Amino acid sequence: MKGLNGKLAFWISSIILLLLLLHWAPTAPINVDELLHNKQAKYVVDWYYSFGADETCLENRTDNLRYYGQSVDNVAAFVNKAFSFTDEYLTRHYIGAIVGWLLLIVSGLFSYYLSGSFWVGILAMVLLFLSPRPFGQVFGNLKDIPFALAYTWATWGTIRFIKELPLPSYHTALNLALSIAFANSVRIGGSLFFFILGSFTIVWLVLNRKDYSYPTLLQRKLRTYLFITAVIILLGYFGGLLLWPYGLQNPLSHPYESLTLMQHYSISIRQIFEGNYFWSTHLPWYYLLKWLAISIPELVWFLVLLSSVMLFRGILKKERDEKISVFILLFCILFPVLYVIIIDANLYSGWRQLYFFYPVLVVFVSVGTFEFWKSYRNKIVRTVFVSLVLVLGFFPLKHLLKTFPNHYIYFNELSKLQKDAWSEYEYDYYFQGMKEASDWFFSTVTVPEGSVIASNFDLTPYFPKNLHLKYKYLHFYEYQTKQWDYAIFSNNYVHPYQLKNDTWLPDGLQKIFYFDKNPYVVVLNWEGDNVLTGLSAFKKGLYNKAAQHFEMALEKNGTNVNTMVYLARCYLIESKFDNLELIFQKAMEINPYSEQMLYLKAKMYFQQTKYDQALRSVESLLEMNPKFEQAFPLLASCYEKTGQADKALNIRKQIK
């Protein structure tokens, strides 16, 4: 496993992987975050091209993207503008492929650095490539994957720096500074490495206190130390701001502001987890740990266990510098996971915000596997080990080949969730299935010029340029509240109860698209005339007429809870309580967690002067969704009617 053959195999393997990634890049789907980050990147480019006159990129919009360095997104936008490329996302996906390849290379060379074997580097590259959750997003995720590259590079650089103490080379210092700068240019969280470097330098000094005379050492090398420190801080910190306009506005306070925001992200998103519907700010503490358990390949988990055993068996035999290297590696793996759990960080969409620690974990298990291989030379043991690795590695490889380019939707086989995860966990949270549906739709359906296409995902990058189509955004549950000609909807943000019980399919269904036998995208024809007519009458106060049209719509398809809500509002306004009870019962069969319907039920009780029942209903609703703002005035009124004036006053103060 040494010598030229290993080195040659490493570089041949890396070239094959690069060619494969470049071949796949044009087929990669556009993800929902790309739409936002690409737009912000173009604003950033405009800021530079206008020498700061165009300040759109600095605006504080709801997406909070001014707080991201997103340097790779910005580079892609610069390339598109400089070369007048019209297919912006193809450029992004090629750049993503190159960044993904660099992540493989850095992980492989890092493993080689620690082990002295290029074969270990090959193992690291293969393990990372066969990890569908993180590596399945290399093409379109130009923030999490580049940050993973920077984090892995900086971890390697930190270990090299500490190993070369008491006087690291200029080359090592520059390498570390550039890696930290790259990390900060993507996310300001790369500043963590200043803390890591300082902490482990102190550890090194304490452990080596008997070998060096610190006053003499510092006196002789003070200028060199100061220069190296200045290079790392100035280049690592300020170099990371060069492509980040908001950071450049105030290089001290704005990065700190961004770091604070990222630690406790304010935007809360509805998430399916363990079959329940949570706000991301109210997820269980073990959310991250559960996702790691079910979405990291079983091969990697097996090697984590094996490597941990080898580590604890051999740690005492290692040299002092090797021990520090191991502890740096473990710190960079464990600290991010433990930290976000301790501070109760706002996580969502699985664990993509933590992808950066995973390549370092892969390096750890690759080196640990090599230690096992060196320690056990028995042919039977090695044969069993290799056989087990090949069997476990077959599962993610099979998944990749079967499901590319959407293979990031992955749950490991040992968790037995691949087929059962749909409706239990977030599935296609990046809306990547929209590409398959769009490709089919525009190649199969004769779409008249100027048609209106509705969706809960911006489909305009997939539109044929010659048809001058119009896009209309609609939430899945509101798909008939505005006029359109055709629609393509992902079932994201549909309540898991409806997914499990097959009560979510909408009117006008033309085709269903499946991922691993689970439906995740639908194509619709327009069949909502009665709903639109009813809405028009409702807005004019013609509630009886509106109710008639809503009833006709439900006779055709009785699963549209949103239409039932409007019908219930008509009944409530006209005090038709018997009719309201019936429509409520039907709605509960479709989705017993419909918040709007439960709210109307509470209002009905209040209108009937059944204040205790109204109070119990509205409290139950707010327990289910504490962010349902419409319910708070009703809650205050219920408290007033039930003799709880102090509680009513507190609620009204909160509303104001």
Side-chain angles (χ1 to χ4, degrees):
M1 298 176 69
K2 295 181 180 180
L4 180 60
N5 288 338
K7 183 176 182 180
L8 183 61
F10 177 88
W11 289 110
I12 290 176
S13 299
S14 68
I15 291 172
I16 291 173
L17 291 172
L18 173 61
L19 294 175
L20 188 59
L21 289 170
L22 293 176
H23 174 69
W24 279 347
T27 66
I30 299 167
N31 72 57
V32 67
D33 277 2
E34 277 194 274
L35 301 170
L36 299 174
H37 284 274
N38 185 51
K39 182 184 293 186
Q40 172 68 5
K42 290 193 286 187
Y43 292 153
V44 169
V45 170
D46 291 341
W47 185 83
Y48 283 100
Y49 268 72
S50 67
F51 297 98
D54 187 336
E55 297 186 341
T56 308
C57 68
L58 303 176
E59 295 176 359
N60 188 18
R61 300 185 300 276
T62 55
D63 56 25
N64 286 327
L65 289 186
R66 70 174 182 172
Y67 297 105
Y68 287 84
Q70 63 164 56
S71 59
V72 181
D73 292 274
N74 298 339
V75 167
F78 273 115
V79 171
N80 280 323
K81 188 175 183 68
F83 294 96
S84 300
F85 290 149
T86 56
D87 194 338
E88 298 174 346
Y89 294 96
L90 181 61
T91 303
R92 290 176 56 88
H93 294 166
Y94 274 124
I95 290 176
I98 293 171
V99 170
W101 179 70
L102 290 174
L103 177 57
L104 294 175
I105 291 293
V106 169
S107 301
L109 292 177
F110 188 5
S111 301
Y112 163 72
Y113 173 80
L114 294 176
S115 66
S117 171
F118 278 103
W119 295 102
V120 179
I122 293 174
L123 176 62
M125 290 196 298
V126 171
L127 289 177
L128 190 54
F129 186 79
L130 292 181
S131 297
R133 275 288 167 184
F135 209 74
Q137 297 185 18
V138 293
F139 302 110
N141 188 340
L142 298 191
K143 59 181 187 299
D144 297 317
I145 304 305
F147 191 75
L149 167 60
Y151 189 86
T152 308
W153 180 15
T155 303
W156 181 12
T158 301
I159 290 176
R160 288 180 60 180
F161 187 93
I162 298 298
K163 273 193 171 186
E164 292 182 15
L165 287 173
L167 193 60
S169 68
Y170 293 143
H171 176 269
T172 296
L174 180 61
N175 176 71
L176 179 57
L178 289 174
S179 66
I180 296 175
F182 181 34
N184 282 328
S185 75
V186 181
R187 285 181 183 161
I188 195 59
S191 299
L192 170 66
F193 279 96
F194 295 130
F195 167 77
I196 295 174
L197 183 63
S199 299
F200 280 99
T201 298
I202 293 172
V203 170
W204 184 92
L205 289 171
V206 171
L207 292 177
N208 292 276
R209 62 188 180 278
K210 295 181 180 179
D211 300 332
Y212 297 96
S213 172
Y214 295 150
T216 303
L217 183 66
L218 290 174
Q219 187 176 15
R220 290 178 180 176
K221 306 295 182 181
L222 184 58
R223 290 183 180 178
T224 305
Y225 280 124
L226 290 176
F227 178 76
I228 289 175
T229 301
V231 167
I232 294 174
I233 292 176
L234 293 176
L235 184 56
Y237 183 82
F238 292 100
L241 307 182
L242 294 179
L243 291 179
W244 182 19
Y246 188 70
L248 290 173
Q249 301 302 302
N250 192 324
L252 296 179
S253 66
H254 283 181
Y256 177 76
E257 181 184 355
S258 173
L259 184 62
T260 304
L261 177 72
M262 293 304 112
Q263 288 178 329
H264 294 283
Y265 201 57
S266 58
I267 297 176
S268 192
I269 300 172
R270 296 303 282 268
Q271 295 284 283
I272 299 175
F273 181 67
E274 296 183 331
N276 296 311
Y277 211 31
F278 294 93
W279 286 102
S280 59
T281 48
H282 293 76
L283 284 161
W285 69 268
Y286 58 87
Y287 173 81
L288 173 60
L289 298 178
K290 181 67 176 288
W291 262 104
L292 294 176
I294 64 178
S295 62
I296 289 178
E298 44 277 304
L299 172 58
V300 175
W301 279 127
F302 166 66
L303 296 179
V304 165
L305 179 61
L306 181 73
S307 300
S308 299
V309 172
M310 296 306 300
L311 166 69
F312 290 114
R313 283 186 56 186
I315 189 68
L316 296 178
K317 300 178 183 178
K318 293 183 179 296
E319 298 293 332
R320 187 180 298 164
D321 288 349
E322 289 182 317
K323 289 179 182 177
I324 296 178
S325 297
V326 170
F327 283 118
I328 293 174
L329 202 63
L330 290 176
F331 182 89
C332 291
I333 294 169
L334 296 175
F335 176 77
V337 175
L338 297 176
Y339 183 71
V340 299
I341 293 174
I342 291 170
I343 69 170
D344 193 24
N346 179 12
L347 300 178
Y348 50 86
S349 302
W351 53 287
R352 66 174 181 79
Q353 296 95 338
L354 272 292
Y355 283 167
F356 60 87
F357 87 88
Y358 186 74
V360 183
L361 175 68
V362 166
V363 171
F364 169 74
V365 302
S366 299
V367 175
T369 301
F370 183 58
E371 292 293 325
F372 170 83
W373 189 261
K374 290 190 300 181
S375 300
Y376 294 92
R377 300 181 180 276
N378 183 282
K379 289 185 178 180
I380 296 177
V381 173
R382 285 189 169 186
T383 300
V384 172
F385 172 74
V386 171
S387 300
L388 186 57
V389 167
L390 291 175
V391 170
L392 294 178
F394 169 76
F395 294 120
L397 176 61
K398 176 186 175 183
H399 173 82
L400 187 157
L401 296 175
K402 179 182 177 182
T403 61
F404 180 86
N406 295 326
H407 57 293
Y408 88 99
I409 309 173
Y410 169 78
F411 299 88
N412 59 43
E413 299 296 327
L414 293 181
S415 67
K416 297 182 179 179
L417 282 173
Q418 187 59 50
K419 293 183 180 179
D420 300 331
W422 186 78
S423 78
E424 291 290 326
Y425 298 89
E426 287 300 315
Y427 212 61
D428 183 18
Y429 56 76
Y430 259 161
F431 290 79
Q432 288 194 180
M434 304 301 272
K435 182 181 190 304
E436 179 187 5
S438 297
D439 288 348
W440 173 88
F441 177 74
F442 291 115
S443 64
T444 305
V445 178
T446 302
V447 183
E449 185 172 347
S451 295
V452 177
I453 313 294
S455 181
N456 49 0
F457 173 86
D458 187 352
L459 295 169
T460 51
Y462 295 133
F463 283 178
K465 305 301 182 185
N466 61 324
L467 294 180
H468 306 292
L469 302 175
K470 299 176 183 178
Y471 164 72
K472 183 169 292 186
Y473 173 82
L474 286 170
H475 189 283
F476 183 93
Y477 282 133
E478 299 173 347
Y479 72 99
Q480 288 184 336
T481 58
K482 293 181 181 178
Q483 179 75 55
W484 42 264
D485 299 302
Y486 304 94
I488 303 176
F489 280 98
S490 165
N491 56 22
N492 281 11
Y493 304 110
V494 173
H495 197 282
Y497 179 90
Q498 288 192 261
L499 297 176
K500 292 176 188 177
N501 292 277
D502 202 28
T503 62
W504 63 278
L505 291 173
D507 299 350
L509 186 63
Q510 184 176 6
K511 187 174 177 62
I512 304 176
F513 289 86
Y514 296 84
F515 180 89
D516 199 24
K517 300 181 181 180
N518 293 315
Y520 69 148
V521 180
V522 292
V523 177
L524 310 178
N525 292 316
W526 173 254
E527 292 184 3
D529 288 340
N530 276 315
V531 176
L532 274 189
T533 304
L535 287 172
S536 177
F538 184 89
K539 292 175 183 177
K540 296 175 181 177
L542 305 174
Y543 302 115
N544 188 50
K545 179 181 178 181
Q548 291 176 0
H549 284 280
F550 292 142
E551 287 167 351
M552 286 190 287
L554 291 170
E555 285 178 6
K556 187 173 182 181
N557 188 323
T559 62
N560 191 332
V561 176
N562 192 61
T563 301
M564 293 181 184
V565 167
Y566 276 104
L567 179 57
R569 290 173 67 183
C570 293
Y571 290 154
L572 185 64
I573 291 170
E574 297 191 326
S575 299
K576 295 181 178 180
F577 299 126
D578 291 340
N579 289 0
L580 184 56
E581 287 281 6
L582 289 174
I583 198 65
F584 178 77
Q585 291 175 9
K586 290 180 181 179
M588 292 300 98
E589 292 173 2
I590 305 301
N591 181 12
Y593 301 94
S594 171
E595 294 162 5
Q596 288 289 345
M597 192 62 76
L598 292 171
Y599 171 67
L600 292 175
K601 181 75 168 180
K603 288 192 71 174
M604 181 191 74
Y605 285 137
F606 190 88
Q607 198 165 314
Q608 292 175 315
T609 68
K610 299 176 181 179
Y611 301 123
D612 289 327
Q613 288 176 271
L615 178 59
R616 287 194 296 270
S617 296
V618 75
E619 285 179 334
S620 177
L621 170 59
L622 287 170
E623 183 178 346
M624 183 173 70
N625 180 8
K627 294 180 178 291
F628 194 86
E629 296 181 357
Q630 291 175 265
F632 286 101
L634 179 59
L635 177 64
S637 298
C638 288
Y639 280 140
E640 289 171 345
K641 293 296 184 179
T642 55
Q644 303 177 71
D646 290 342
K647 288 185 177 181
L649 182 61
N650 288 334
I651 293 296
R652 296 203 184 280
K653 286 180 180 179
Q654 293 177 31
I655 295 172
K656 293 179 182 179

